[in-house]
Amino acid sequence: MNSATVRSLLVRGMLAGLAAGVLALVVAYFLGEPNVDSAIGLEEAHTHTHGDAGADAGGHDEEEVVSRSLQSTAGLATGILVYGVAFGGIAALAFCFALGRIGRFGPRATALLLSGCALLAVYVVPYLKYPVNPPAVGDPDTIGKRTTLYFLMMVLSVLLAIAATLLGKRLAPALGTWYATVAAVAAFAVAVGLAYAFLPVINEVPDDFPATLLWRFRLSALAIQTVLWGGLGLFLGELAERLLRPKAVPSGSGGAVPAAR
């Protein structure tokens, strides 16, 4: 691809990320925020019951720096949309590199394949080891350790996914595409399993925290990411298809302009 095509795809990737972010925002607002509100309510009830927080030295309630209503609307929208645009740009650059190099896939299939692999490597694999927790869950003193371990698992997952892809391409001439893919996926699963086994376990969920609320919160977080990455793959694939394979149009002599490759 020339630089003009890469720039065009980068812009389209960011637009695709924005559109996917809008879809994810709808899911987050209607599916995720009610669970956050429920968890905050439990946290506040626990605080008032035990009297160990929520008041300053003079006995007055601490003022919120950012109101909950602002967090659940403008704050939520800003975070998800910026996240979508940023990852849309990264996905577009990855698409430019991957198109034609990971198999005989067209733009739509390549974009969907990349988005599915990204969802798996960037979110699902770290999520299964260190799942997200709602408010009122987790020790504030360990937030640095938990954040570090999560990002370490994410980096390992991405690197292992890249290594598995390279392994599959190297094995393909000898084993064929199908068996090379199976071997690469198996190697990735084994490596991830070893990482799960050796990295420390963190479980700070209070015994009295409702299991149903925890389950709903974690499912909604997974749904948001699935919608975001799935939408990104669909939108980017469609925009890339229109750019790289425009429909033939009639010429003045009655012929047709060949489709761009």
Side-chain angles (χ1 to χ4, degrees):
M1 293 184 185
N2 56 42
S3 59
T5 303
V6 173
R7 284 196 300 269
S8 296
L9 283 171
L10 177 61
V11 172
R12 283 163 172 76
M14 296 173 71
L15 291 175
L18 180 62
V22 172
L23 295 180
L25 176 61
V26 173
V27 176
Y29 186 78
F30 289 103
L31 187 61
E33 284 302 305
N35 297 318
V36 176
D37 289 334
S38 298
I40 291 175
L42 287 173
E43 184 179 34
E44 291 176 347
H46 183 271
T47 298
H48 293 157
T49 299
H50 291 79
D52 56 0
D56 58 20
H60 301 290
D61 292 338
E62 296 180 351
E63 295 183 359
E64 287 184 313
V65 177
V66 180
S67 67
R68 173 61 189 147
S69 60
L70 185 61
Q71 293 175 17
S72 62
T73 53
L76 179 67
T78 301
I80 291 182
L81 295 180
V82 169
Y83 181 92
V85 170
F87 275 94
I90 296 173
L93 295 178
F95 173 87
C96 293
F97 176 80
L99 185 63
R101 290 186 172 93
I102 58 174
R104 301 177 65 180
F105 300 108
R108 290 192 184 102
T110 299
L112 279 175
L113 182 61
L114 280 178
S115 65
C117 291
L119 173 65
L120 177 67
V122 175
Y123 189 78
V124 174
V125 170
Y127 170 91
L128 293 177
K129 176 64 177 178
Y130 300 115
V132 295
N133 289 320
V137 174
D139 183 356
D141 295 334
T142 64
I143 188 171
K145 176 184 177 181
R146 287 184 279 122
T147 302
T148 300
L149 287 173
Y150 180 87
F151 279 101
L152 175 60
M153 188 68 244
M154 184 173 66
V155 171
L156 281 174
S157 176
V158 172
L159 292 177
L160 290 173
I162 294 173
T165 302
L166 295 176
L167 176 64
K169 288 183 66 67
R170 184 168 292 249
L171 293 177
L175 301 181
T177 302
W178 171 255
Y179 290 108
T181 302
V182 171
V185 171
F188 176 77
V190 170
V192 168
L194 290 174
Y196 281 4
F198 284 103
L199 287 175
V201 176
I202 296 179
N203 182 15
E204 298 178 348
V205 180
D207 293 336
D208 59 347
F209 192 87
T212 302
L213 177 58
L214 179 64
W215 179 245
R216 288 203 309 264
F217 179 87
R218 290 177 173 175
L219 279 183
S220 64
L222 182 60
I224 293 167
Q225 292 292 329
T226 301
V227 169
L228 178 66
W229 286 100
L232 177 57
L234 288 172
F235 290 130
L236 176 59
E238 184 62 29
L239 293 175
E241 184 81 19
R242 291 173 180 268
L243 174 68
L244 301 175
R245 293 183 175 178
K247 293 181 180 180
V249 295
S251 64
S253 60
V257 179
R261 298 182 65 84

